Structures are given as C-alpha cells and as structure tokens.
C-alpha cells in the first residue's frame, strides 16, 4: 500500500494515480504531457499507478485516435500502442522536467508540433525518459501526489526497463544552468500561425474533441487543487486522476 503525502512537499518517492488509458500511454512514452488544473509540485522521477476503473473501448479508441493524429503531424504514421491497459497496478515512471501553462506549450516553437497540441488543461507537466515495469505491481492508489511505500519502491526499482519511444522528446531548459527553470511563466508566448493551420484540419479537430470528451468523464467531482506555484506548494488533491 502507498502512503499519502498531505501537501507538505516532502516527496521522497512521488507517485501519481491515473486512469487508463492515460496511465499506460504516459509510461509507454506516447503521452508526453500530463495535464492538470494545478502546477506540478515536483520535478524528477514520478511513479505512475493505474487506477482501478477498467477503461471502456470508446475511451481507448478516442485517445489512440488523438495520439495518431498528433504523431502524424510529426511524420510518425505507424504509432504502436500498448496491447493491454492494466488497472490497479504500478506501471513504471517518467521524469518530470518542468511545468508550463497550456498557452506557453502551444506557442513553444522548440518542440514538435504534436507535443504543442497535447496541452488540453491549464497546466502541463513535461515528461521525459519513460520506463515501464516488466511486471506491473498490484497496489492501491490515492488522489494527488503521494509517496510510494519503501518496500514497493525497492521491488519496482529492480523491475524497471527503459522504453524506446517512437518520437523521444527532450524539453529545452530556458536556463541550461538551472534544471528547475521550466516553470509556469518561464517561456515567452509567441503567435503560431502554423499551429492554427494544423488545427483547422477536420480530422484533427475531431480527435481533439474526442480526447476532451473522454477526459470529462472523470471531472464531475471538484476537488481543491494546490495553491498556484511550483515545487510542492499547496494541497495535493487533484481534480481527476486522468
């Protein structure tokens, strides 16, 4: 069982519970942006746990169609998805290298076009270096960011395997000397005509709308998120485990 953190920012082995298929898409390196209504309270390794709800086929299709369209913008037309979307399991981890607003992400010309269109929520956690567990661990999850229990962490570290993403991403730091420099407000917003042209595609528009609709099924309840900030400020109760 995992131990919950109560928002004091004392994250030793931070973990986030997410619904499927989003959890596996992140661990497999397909999803590069974890969207939330609140800024990331951590940078560094973030363990990913899949919630207990079995995803319905329509949700899986909507999200796979969404990523097919985004990757096609960057020349990847044979995107390979996970064969299974297990639930109630610790799946692996990613490295959170920073957090920006969706507006900043959308106008960030130094990253692939498809990544810029992933930002469907106010805050975008930037994820790199996905690793998956060869054998996912069954465990209970919690809302918000919490710490893994030590015995689970020890077993997970032994079973990690790097993922070969089809389009690996490296988010450039605004200040290369400061690994914490990627935070809301750190990027200059610019107009992006090419993005406007890309999103005018009816197929892409439909895929984006489908992804938005799929996510809303988990946002019916409202929770109090962290106080705006970065690096562990405020409460850590999220508004959904998407």
């Amino acid at each position: 069982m995992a131990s919950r953190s109560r928002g004091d920012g004392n994250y030793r082995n931070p973990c986030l519970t997410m619904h499927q298929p989003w959890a596996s898409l992140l661990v497999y390196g397909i999803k590069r942006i974890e969207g939330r209504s609140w800024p990331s309270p951590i940078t560094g390794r973030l363990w990913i746990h899949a919630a207990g709800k079995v995803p319905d086929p329509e949700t899986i299709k909507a999200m796979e169609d969404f990523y097919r369209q985004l990757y096609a913008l960057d020349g990847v037309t044979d995107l390979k998805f996970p064969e299974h979307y297990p639930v109630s399991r610790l799946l692996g981890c990613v490295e959170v290298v920073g957090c920006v607003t969706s507006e900043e992400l959308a106008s960030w010309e130094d990253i692939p076009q498809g990544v810029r269109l992933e930002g469907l929520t106010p805050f975008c956690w930037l994820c790199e270096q996905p690793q998956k567990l060869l054998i996912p661990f069954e465990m209970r999850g919690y809302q918000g960011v919490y710490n893994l229990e030590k015995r689970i962490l020890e077993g997970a570290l032994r079973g990690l395997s790097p993922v070969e993403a089809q389009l690996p991403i490296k988010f450039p730091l605004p200040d290369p000397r400061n690994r914490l420099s990627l935070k809301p407000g750190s990027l200059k917003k610019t107009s992006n005509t090419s993005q406007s042209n890309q999103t005018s595609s009816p197929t892409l528009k439909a895929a984006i709308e489908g992804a938005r609709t799929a996510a809303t099924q988990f946002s019916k309840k409202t929770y109090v998120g962290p106080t705006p900030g970065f690096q562990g400020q405020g409460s850590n109760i999220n508004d959904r485990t998407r």
Side-chain angles (χ1 to χ4, degrees):
M1 181 179 293
S3 57
R4 284 174 282 193
S5 173
R6 292 296 184 182
D8 59 2
N10 184 25
Y11 299 115
R12 299 175 301 278
N13 311 300
C15 184
L16 181 69
T17 292
M18 301 171 58
H19 284 293
Q20 289 287 29
W22 294 272
S24 286
L25 292 173
L26 186 60
V27 168
Y28 274 72
I30 296 170
K31 176 174 161 66
R32 288 77 51 104
I33 302 297
E34 171 52 18
R36 297 276 151 170
S37 63
W38 40 281
S40 169
I42 64 104
T43 54
R45 176 169 289 175
L46 177 66
W47 292 92
I48 304 300
H49 171 259
K53 177 177 169 55
V54 177
D56 58 71
E58 292 77 14
T59 298
I60 293 174
K61 182 180 185 303
M63 295 314 303
E64 290 184 352
D65 286 347
F66 174 64
Y67 282 101
R68 281 193 190 93
Q69 291 296 319
L70 296 193
Y71 272 76
L73 294 175
D74 297 310
V76 178
T77 58
D78 59 343
L79 192 58
K80 295 177 176 60
F81 293 96
E83 294 182 6
H84 307 287
Y85 292 95
V87 298
S88 300
R89 297 289 190 277
L90 183 67
L91 302 179
C93 63
V94 294
E95 292 291 319
V96 178
V97 298
C99 175
V100 297
T101 66
S102 57
E103 291 82 4
E104 289 175 302
L105 184 74
S107 62
W108 197 356
E109 296 181 350
D110 293 331
I111 61 174
Q113 173 74 18
V115 181
R116 280 178 261 164
L117 294 175
E118 280 193 58
L120 304 181
T121 55
F123 294 97
C124 304
W125 303 13
L126 311 175
C127 301
E128 299 178 354
Q129 303 175 47
Q131 298 186 76
K132 63 180 179 179
L133 287 172
L134 298 176
I135 302 177
F137 288 14
E138 183 173 5
M139 60 168 270
R140 176 183 176 183
Y142 298 100
Q143 291 178 336
V145 178
Y146 55 93
N147 285 315
L148 282 183
E149 187 180 273
K150 183 179 178 181
R151 65 178 181 84
I152 293 179
L153 174 69
E154 291 173 348
L157 288 172
R158 291 193 294 267
L160 277 178
S161 176
V163 172
E164 294 185 8
Q166 289 179 263
L167 190 63
I169 181 70
K170 184 70 175 177
F171 295 98
L173 296 172
D175 180 358
R177 297 168 297 179
N178 181 4
R179 68 180 185 85
L180 303 180
S181 60
L182 266 176
K183 53 188 176 181
S186 63
L187 301 179
K188 294 181 179 179
K189 299 176 186 177
T190 60
S191 59
N192 196 319
T193 306
S194 63
Q195 176 168 300
S196 300
N197 293 336
Q198 293 284 11
T199 55
S200 65
S201 161
T203 304
L204 180 56
K205 279 185 175 180
I208 293 174
E209 184 57 35
R212 290 186 188 277
T213 301
T216 57
Q217 63 186 295
F218 302 112
S219 57
K220 294 179 181 179
K221 294 182 179 180
T222 301
Y223 299 94
V224 178
T227 302
F230 194 60
Q231 289 297 302
Q233 298 179 8
S235 169
N236 295 303
I237 303 299
N238 63 334
D239 57 343
R240 60 185 167 196
T241 52
R242 184 198 45 64

